[in-house]
Amino acid sequence: MDAEELRDALENTGLTSYQSDAYLAVLDLGVAPAVTVARNCSVPVSQIYKVLRDLEQKGFVETIERDQLHVRPRDPDVVLDELRSTGQLLQQAADDIEDRWEQPRLYDDNGGVVKHQETLLERAKEAIAESETLIEMVLSPEQFETLHSALVTAKDNGVIVRVTLYDNPETDELATHHDVETAVSELRLSYIPGPFLAVVDRGRCFFTPDASATDQHGLLVEDETLSFIFHWYFYTCNWALNDRAYVDTTSGWTYVTLEGFVRDFAVLLDGGLDVSITAIGYDNSERKLRTISGCVVDISYTDDFRTSEPPTLEQLSGSLSVLLDIGAETYAIGSWGAVYEDMEVHRIEIDDISLSVTDDHCLPTSAPPTPQA
């Protein structure tokens, strides 16, 4: 490093150009009168005394009172520490600037692209830890480990976590290496690798085309309509096609899609069972979240030709509504994006299942809960 570069480095630690030049002169001279230091650097004689006193206060030099002021360099530990800490700070600043440049401002735009998968996973981890209702994910075992702590936090907060894991049946990775019980509400396995996808709280998505690749771009989306498209990709092309590997049976019987509830209960309802549920979702008239309980009295969906088999996803992907008897009135709940129903349902809890014995069997056993904000 030449003298000019060294001078620039010292200025990065907070020294002025005069202080940097004077300090380098002192290093070259050893012990020397202040006037001699001035003659060997760019500092005027009229200012050299103040410059040297300032350097002494910073711990760079030591002055000696003789017939005239002398100066000598101090042990360079202080200087070295300053340079190293400044170097670390500058490196951290460079890394932070790169991260900020890569990360789009999702609160301004509906989406954006990041250059590295690590950035995408970090953003997904933040969203997962802050989630409130539902997480739908398909990912590799390595990505599962990266996001595990955030998933544990989400599940502890009552969030439903649905995960499809790309697994290798020959190595039995799931059973031997991954702690799913603390992080997942329901787990399914896929033996065909594919994209990484996380849909968080219906409004935020994180996507990379290939979950197994480490250096590739990622897509961030903060838009409910686009998230709806990713949700259906997850549900039809991934979740519904794979076998269940684990389900948390301690949290009650909960559905996070109306489609899932109808597929499981349509045939049972046609067979004469009474099903009472609690639905949580967005009330379209009150324009806020609401919780309501009642007995299911009707289900309607596209091409509703009742058979002994559950309705197909194709039938449920169009119009779908469930009518509840809540005592004084009936109340219609719909799926994601519901417009004509009273509620866009986010979560369904099964309260009671029994055989129908009277004509008024759908009267609720207790009053509906007070609407929640």
Side-chain angles (χ1 to χ4, degrees):
M1 180 177 287
D2 60 27
E4 188 64 31
E5 292 173 332
L6 187 54
R7 191 177 295 109
D8 291 341
L10 289 170
E11 289 178 19
N12 282 329
T13 68
L15 297 185
T16 66
S17 60
Y18 277 176
Q19 290 169 349
S20 301
D21 206 18
Y23 178 65
L24 292 178
V26 172
L27 287 177
D28 291 338
L29 295 169
V31 180
V35 175
T36 302
V37 174
R39 290 171 180 166
N40 285 270
C41 68
S42 61
V43 183
V45 174
S46 60
Q47 298 185 43
I48 192 63
Y49 295 97
K50 182 181 185 308
V51 169
L52 293 176
R53 296 292 188 192
D54 290 342
L55 285 172
E56 185 175 36
Q57 288 182 351
K58 293 177 178 292
F60 282 60
V61 302
E62 181 180 7
T63 60
I64 307 168
E65 296 289 349
R66 295 181 180 172
D67 54 338
Q68 56 180 306
L69 185 70
H70 283 61
V71 64
R72 64 184 176 192
R74 292 192 62 180
D75 189 296
D77 285 348
V78 173
V79 181
L80 297 179
D81 288 344
E82 288 282 347
L83 289 171
R84 289 176 179 135
S85 64
T86 300
Q88 293 172 356
L89 182 63
L90 292 174
Q91 182 62 51
Q92 291 171 359
D95 293 341
D96 188 61
I97 289 171
E98 182 180 25
D99 290 342
R100 289 170 182 265
W101 178 80
E102 289 175 345
Q103 298 177 11
R105 296 181 296 175
L106 295 180
Y107 48 82
D108 283 341
D109 304 312
N110 288 338
V113 176
V114 295
K115 295 175 63 177
H116 303 293
Q117 188 180 120
E118 290 79 4
T119 303
L120 183 84
L121 291 177
E122 187 61 32
R123 295 297 293 272
K125 190 172 185 178
E126 294 172 1
I128 289 168
E130 298 170 355
S131 61
E132 298 177 352
T133 56
L134 172 65
I135 297 169
E136 297 173 317
M137 300 190 70
V138 52
L139 71 173
S140 70
E142 294 77 17
Q143 291 163 340
F144 181 82
E145 289 299 322
T146 299
L147 301 175
H148 185 270
S149 61
L151 291 170
V152 171
T153 298
K155 190 184 178 190
D156 287 344
N157 291 336
V159 176
I160 300 298
V161 182
R162 309 171 82 183
V163 171
T164 296
L165 188 69
Y166 295 124
D167 197 34
N168 185 341
E170 297 179 359
T171 61
D172 196 19
E173 290 181 356
L174 172 70
T176 57
H177 293 94
H178 302 290
D179 177 15
V180 301
E181 294 184 4
T182 60
V184 172
S185 304
E186 186 174 348
L187 180 78
R188 301 193 180 192
L189 299 180
S190 173
Y191 301 113
I192 302 175
F196 165 84
L197 173 65
V199 183
V200 180
D201 289 345
R202 295 173 173 247
R204 303 181 70 181
C205 292
F206 306 84
F207 177 82
T208 57
D210 184 358
S212 62
T214 57
D215 187 13
Q216 61 173 319
H217 69 276
L219 178 65
L220 308 180
V221 172
E222 189 164 295
D223 179 82
E224 189 164 324
T225 301
L226 294 175
S227 297
F228 178 76
I229 297 172
F230 280 105
H231 157 75
W232 269 102
Y233 164 77
F234 169 84
Y235 192 66
T236 59
C237 297
N238 188 279
W239 187 255
L241 300 179
N242 295 306
D243 295 330
R244 177 186 293 169
Y246 167 78
V247 61
D248 181 5
T249 58
T250 64
S251 59
W253 204 340
T254 302
Y255 289 88
V256 289
T257 65
L258 193 61
E259 293 81 11
F261 168 74
V262 170
R263 290 198 77 189
D264 283 353
F265 281 90
V267 175
L268 297 178
L269 289 163
D270 290 341
L273 285 181
D274 290 342
V275 180
S276 296
I277 67 172
T278 294
I280 305 168
Y282 183 80
D283 188 287
N284 286 323
S285 61
E286 296 183 2
R287 297 188 178 276
K288 64 180 181 180
L289 288 177
R290 184 180 182 185
T291 300
I292 194 161
S293 296
C295 185
V296 178
V297 294
D298 191 27
I299 296 175
S300 64
Y301 49 85
T302 305
D303 296 330
D304 185 359
F305 303 110
R306 300 297 174 91
T307 68
S308 59
E309 298 294 327
T312 65
L313 287 178
E314 183 180 6
Q315 289 174 290
L316 301 180
S317 63
S319 174
L320 173 63
S321 64
V322 172
L323 193 65
L324 301 182
D325 186 332
I326 60 173
E329 59 179 334
T330 56
Y331 189 87
I333 62 175
S335 188
W336 191 339
V339 176
Y340 300 108
E341 293 79 13
D342 297 306
M343 172 187 284
E344 177 193 77
V345 71
H346 295 173
R347 190 161 174 161
I348 296 172
E349 307 282 351
I350 307 299
D351 296 329
D352 184 61
I353 302 174
S354 61
L355 286 173
S356 175
V357 293
T358 65
D359 291 339
D360 60 353
H361 61 276
C362 278
L363 290 177
T365 57
S366 60
T370 303
Q372 299 180 2

